[in-house]
């Protein structure tokens, strides 16, 4: 590979652009693009393999709090024109990386005695996923289960909106059936959000091992989660609409659980 790229027609430039734009390419190559100083640093700290770092000297802005491991073997310099072609967003620090995906298996999760888990079923918008992962990092949620996902967790907008919290959370990707079976096997109570629920979210006890289940933006949770629920819960709605953005709802529920646990 060249150590400096100045041509927009370079094969690596075309590959990075395709990985950014196409979920199919990410799946087939088992690779994705990490963009930004903080994001690359967090990915490396979380054990992700960053195969190549593309750095634009004219744009690069290192951050003391987020060091990046740069070696001669993995570093490629690019011109500003090339970098702007590859970049998903502006003002990201002038660096992006080609990374290998992880498996995200349920059996790989390391959990405390009474975990707090957030389950996300069939989310459609990567921006919502990123915002929720940011909340989970801030609140110290023990794991996030992505069930029957309609969005790719390696979508660049999920990474961007989550400011790298894809890498700071424990995540498992599985089917709804696998998640329900795993939660039951581990004695974890299931609290399913549902607009027709009779209990409000603050009326249940999250102090023991608990999983809070959020559904898709358009359709909510599937019947399987309602049938499996220890309790169905809802957020009181006092206005003229009957729901809030899923990332806002997730934040309300997660922080109520953390409040009950004394933060």
């Amino acid at each position: 590979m060249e150590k400096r790229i100045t041509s927009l027609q370079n094969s690596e430039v075309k590959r990075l652009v395709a990985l950014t734009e196409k979920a199919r390419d990410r799946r087939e190559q088992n690779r994705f693009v990490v963009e930004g100083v903080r994001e690359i640093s967090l990915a490396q700290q979380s054990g992700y393999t960053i195969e190549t770092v593309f750095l634009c000297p004219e744009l690069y802005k290192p951050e003391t709090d987020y060091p990046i491991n740069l070696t001669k073997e993995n570093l490629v310099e690019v011109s500003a024109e090339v970098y702007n072609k590859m970049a998903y967003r502006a003002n990201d620090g002038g660096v992006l990386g080609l990374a290998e995906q992880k498996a995200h298996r349920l059996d790989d999760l390391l959990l405390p005695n009474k975990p707090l888990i957030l389950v996300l079923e069939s989310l459609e918008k990567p921006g919502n996923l990123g915002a929720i992962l940011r909340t989970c990092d801030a609140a110290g949620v023990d794991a996030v289960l992505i069930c029957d996902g309609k969005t790719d967790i390696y979508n660049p907008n999920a990474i961007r909106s989550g400011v790298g919290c894809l890498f700071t959370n424990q995540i498992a990707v599985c089917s709804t059936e696998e998640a329900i079976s795993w939660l039951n096997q581990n004695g974890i109570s299931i609290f399913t959000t549902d607009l027709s629920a009779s209990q409000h979210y603050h009326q249940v006890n999250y102090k023991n091992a608990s999983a809070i289940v959020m559904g898709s933006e358009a359709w909510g949770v599937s019947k399987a989660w309602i049938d499996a629920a220890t309790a169905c819960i809802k957020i009181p709605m006092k206005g003229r609409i009957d729901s809030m953005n899923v990332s806002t709802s997730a934040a309300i529920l997660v922080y109520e659980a953390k409040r009950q646990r004394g933060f």
Side-chain angles (χ1 to χ4, degrees):
M1 183 185 298
E2 300 177 37
K3 290 299 182 181
R4 180 171 175 84
I5 297 175
T6 58
S7 171
L8 298 179
Q9 302 306 313
N10 180 277
S11 60
E12 283 300 304
V13 175
K14 293 181 178 180
R15 182 189 182 194
L16 265 288
V17 171
L19 285 170
T20 298
E21 295 178 347
K22 300 177 182 178
R24 183 182 66 183
D25 283 38
R26 293 193 289 272
R27 288 193 302 270
E28 291 177 351
Q29 298 182 38
N30 198 39
R31 300 293 186 274
F32 68 105
V33 178
V34 190
E35 187 174 332
V37 174
R38 179 194 320 223
E39 289 81 353
I40 293 177
S41 178
L42 291 174
Q44 288 182 329
Q45 292 174 46
S46 300
Y48 278 81
T49 298
I50 309 294
E51 295 179 348
T52 309
V53 176
F54 297 88
L55 183 148
C56 177
E58 300 96 316
L59 303 175
Y60 181 49
K61 298 176 183 178
E63 297 184 35
T64 303
D65 293 337
Y66 298 100
I68 297 176
N69 181 26
L70 298 173
T71 67
K72 291 183 178 180
E73 289 71 27
N74 74 356
L75 179 62
V76 175
E77 289 189 1
V78 298
S79 66
E81 183 183 21
V82 167
Y83 186 85
N84 289 330
K85 174 69 174 179
M86 295 192 297
Y88 180 74
R89 68 184 196 265
N91 302 317
D92 60 7
V95 62
L96 54 82
L98 173 63
E100 183 178 349
Q101 297 183 16
K102 285 188 175 183
H104 298 291
R105 293 180 290 261
L106 282 167
D107 291 342
D108 293 335
L109 297 177
L110 300 175
L111 300 176
N113 187 35
K114 297 179 180 180
L116 176 63
I117 295 170
L118 186 65
V119 180
L120 305 173
E121 183 187 45
S122 299
L123 287 193
E124 298 175 348
K125 299 179 180 179
N128 282 337
L129 174 60
I132 291 171
L133 291 176
R134 187 171 183 175
T135 294
C136 289
D137 174 86
V141 169
D142 295 303
V144 181
L145 309 188
I146 311 293
C147 299
D148 298 327
K150 294 185 178 181
T151 187
D152 174 8
I153 67 171
Y154 293 114
N155 182 293
N157 197 34
I159 299 173
R160 176 187 183 184
S161 60
V163 293
C165 288
L166 169 68
F167 312 119
T168 64
N169 286 284
Q170 286 200 99
I171 296 173
V173 179
C174 57
S175 69
T176 286
E177 291 73 21
E178 289 170 337
I180 290 172
S181 175
W182 182 83
L183 291 170
N184 287 333
Q185 289 173 8
N186 287 277
I188 299 173
S189 297
I190 298 173
F191 299 104
T192 300
T193 55
D194 180 30
L195 289 176
S196 64
S198 59
Q199 284 185 288
H200 290 154
Y201 73 99
H202 61 283
Q203 295 174 324
V204 299
N205 182 359
Y206 306 101
K207 293 181 180 179
N208 295 312
S210 302
I212 298 170
V213 185
M214 311 292 300
S216 75
E217 296 89 341
W219 308 109
V221 296
S222 65
K223 186 176 183 298
W225 282 112
I226 295 174
D227 292 342
T230 305
C232 288
I233 57 174
K234 66 180 180 181
I235 298 172
M237 300 295 298
K238 302 299 184 181
R240 298 174 66 179
I241 59 171
D242 63 357
S243 66
M244 291 184 291
N245 178 275
V246 64
S247 63
T248 302
S249 299
I252 291 171
L253 297 172
V254 163
Y255 268 90
E256 169 60 17
K258 296 298 289 190
R259 183 195 67 80
Q260 291 187 17
R261 291 166 174 241
F263 294 102

